[in-house]
Amino acid sequence: RSGLCESVKAAVNRESLAKHRFVIRAAAEGQGDRFLRVSPLGQWAVVVMLLLSMALIFASTVVRSFRFEVEGVTRLLVGGDMANRDYSTWSLAMAVVTSTDDPSDWKVVVLQAMFILLAAAAPVAHLVSLLCLWAAPVTLKAQRRLLIIAEVCNATACLEVFVASIFASVAEISRFAKFIIGNRCDEINYLLQRYA
């Protein structure tokens, strides 16, 4: 009966998950249900971790994530600054438009916008929705909506996919280039090492 009262009260009242009283059902008949609340320290710890996660996502978008180094004859042809390029999430998004013949083409703009949305904006929106779900005193109906928003943002956030693809490309790009070129450039490499 007290569990039902708590559910009715939660549906009518505005309450944040941080202040919510959680019911743990009894394992056996005859034992009473237990009620738990998150301690004030635990409530603040969750808020601090969510804010710290947001700050780290913002910082990770501008910090250098990976580097492409061009070597061999191509390095001599490309030369200087173009041979070694550092990229962050943001600089990679900005490089999308500079790597095409027509930067104003709508397809390029959509690609750039989707990359920014999925790699940077969706993870932040996910954390903001979790913070609202945790700290904002809302009705049960609004909590359900916030949970759906949080799940959609989590499903569309591709930050981990971006990080995994960087690790895979860094680990495999030299092996892939060696597979394509094979030993066809051994003589050129010998001449470059001898006269460079």
Side-chain angles (χ1 to χ4, degrees):
R1 179 181 167 116
S2 62
L4 177 63
C5 292
E6 289 293 319
S7 298
V8 170
K9 199 184 330 177
V12 175
N13 293 341
R14 296 176 179 268
E15 185 176 42
S16 68
L17 283 180
K19 305 280 187 196
H20 185 71
R21 200 165 96 167
F22 297 94
V23 178
I24 298 179
R25 301 280 177 216
E29 286 192 38
Q31 296 178 342
D33 293 341
R34 293 179 39 213
F35 298 96
L36 293 176
R37 286 183 190 250
V38 178
S39 70
L41 179 63
Q43 293 172 16
W44 279 106
V46 170
V47 171
V48 167
M49 286 187 283
L50 287 170
L51 292 174
L52 181 63
S53 297
M54 279 187 245
L56 289 172
I57 288 175
F58 280 122
S60 70
T61 58
V62 295
V63 171
R64 181 182 89 176
S65 301
F66 61 98
R67 176 184 198 137
F68 276 116
E69 295 179 359
V70 179
E71 297 179 351
V73 176
T74 310
R75 181 182 185 92
L76 294 175
L77 295 174
V78 172
D81 297 336
M82 297 301 289
N84 297 327
R85 301 217 37 201
D86 297 327
Y87 289 100
S88 65
T89 305
W90 185 255
S91 66
L92 183 63
M94 296 301 111
V96 168
V97 293
T98 61
S99 64
T100 62
D101 294 333
D102 184 13
S104 62
D105 185 17
W106 70 271
K107 293 176 265 185
V108 175
V109 174
V110 167
L111 177 67
Q112 182 183 33
M114 291 303 293
F115 178 76
I116 292 170
L117 176 73
L118 297 176
V124 172
H126 177 235
L127 292 173
V128 168
S129 62
L130 287 177
L131 185 62
C132 291
L133 187 61
W134 179 255
V138 294
T139 63
L140 188 59
K141 186 175 183 179
Q143 280 183 357
R144 284 193 184 119
R145 288 181 181 157
L146 277 171
L147 180 62
I148 290 169
I149 291 169
E151 290 297 324
V152 168
C153 289
N154 184 39
T156 58
C158 295
L159 185 61
E160 64 275 2
V161 175
F162 176 65
V163 170
S165 65
I166 288 175
F167 280 130
S169 65
V170 166
E172 297 297 326
I173 194 115
S174 62
R175 186 183 314 178
F176 180 66
K178 287 177 185 173
F179 172 75
I180 290 174
I181 296 171
N183 58 1
R184 294 183 198 116
C185 294
D186 288 346
E187 293 83 18
I188 296 171
N189 288 336
Y190 172 74
L191 291 173
L192 285 174
Q193 288 175 352
R194 186 171 175 193
Y195 296 109

